[in-house]
Amino acid sequence: MLGDININNFCSYFRDLICGGRLSFKQKDGLEKILQYAIRHYPDLTLPQLAYIYATAYHETARALQPVKEYGSLSYLKTKPYYPFIGAGLVQVTWENNYKKFGATKTEDLLKWDVALDCLFRGMVNGMYTGRKLSDYIDEDASIAIFEKARATINGTDKAALIAGYAMNIVKCLQEAGGGEEIQENPVTQPKAISNATLISAATTATEGTVTAIYNIRSEEH
C-alpha cells in the first residue's frame, strides 16, 4: 500500500539510485508532494504505476521535480505552433485545449502545485493527453518493455527507453521504502557514496513482466 512507504527512506534510495548520490531540498520537496498527493487522491495505484508517474515527472521537469515551464528565449518559444500555450508543469502541458482541460488559462496556472499535480496524475491516469491511460500499459508488473510502451500516455515514444530506465529504478526505491527501519539520515544534507550500487538501466532484463535484477541499494562502503 502507498501509505506504507516511508518517505525519508524513499528519498534516500531515490537520491542514491536516480540522482547519483545528491538530492536537493527542492527535489525532496517534489518527491514528498507527489507521494502525498498519490496517497490522498489515488491510493489504489500500484507501485509500478506510481514509479512511472515519478519517472515521467523527473524527466519532464529536467530532474527538478518542481513545476517548470518550457525552456527557451521568447523568440524561440514564439516559433512553437502552440505558443503562447507553452509547456509547463510537472508534465509539460502544451496547446490551449490541454490547458483548458485543467482549468488553466495561462502558463503561470500550470506552475501552481495543485494544478501541476492534477495534470500529472489525472492526465496520465485518465488518458487525457493521448487517449491512452496508465492502466492500459501498467498494472502490477514492471519491465522495461512495459514502461517503454507507457510513454504513449504522454508523448508517443520520445525518450521512452530513458524514462523506462528511471521507472525500473524507482520501483526498487518504492519497494525498499515500504518496510524496515527508518534510515536515520537527512537525504538532502548527507548524500552517501554508492560506489558498488548496481543501477538498473534500460538493458535490465525482465522475465514474464517480473523484474529480475541484481542490485545493492545501500552501499556498505563509506
Side-chain angles (χ1 to χ4, degrees), residues 86-157:
I86 61 172
L90 292 168
V91 176
Q92 293 296 284
V93 180
T94 55
W95 299 99
E96 182 177 11
N97 65 320
N98 284 328
Y99 272 49
K100 287 181 177 179
K101 290 175 184 177
F102 302 100
T105 59
K106 58 185 182 299
T107 300
E108 287 69 26
D109 294 336
L110 297 175
L111 300 179
K112 299 174 182 176
W113 267 106
D114 57 342
V115 180
L117 288 164
D118 184 36
C119 293
L120 177 65
F121 280 87
R122 188 157 59 97
M124 295 182 71
V125 171
N126 293 355
M128 296 175 69
Y129 298 115
T130 66
R132 304 293 180 87
K133 300 178 181 180
L134 195 64
S135 60
D136 290 341
Y137 304 97
I138 307 171
D139 191 5
E140 297 285 350
D141 296 329
S143 73
I144 287 292
I146 287 171
F147 286 141
E148 283 188 358
K149 291 177 181 178
R151 183 59 175 161
T153 60
I154 298 292
N155 192 5
T157 60

Side-chain angles (χ1 to χ4, degrees), residues 31-73:
L31 292 175
E32 292 176 343
K33 282 184 168 65
I34 290 171
L35 179 59
Q36 290 165 357
Y37 193 86
I39 292 171
R40 187 164 58 251
H41 297 285
Y42 295 89
D44 295 329
L45 285 176
T46 66
L47 292 189
Q49 288 171 341
L50 179 58
Y52 195 75
I53 287 173
Y54 265 122
T56 297
Y58 185 67
H59 172 73
E60 295 270 323
T61 63
R63 305 181 180 183
L65 290 169
Q66 295 281 311
V68 298
K69 64 180 179 180
E70 188 173 354
Y71 298 138
S73 64

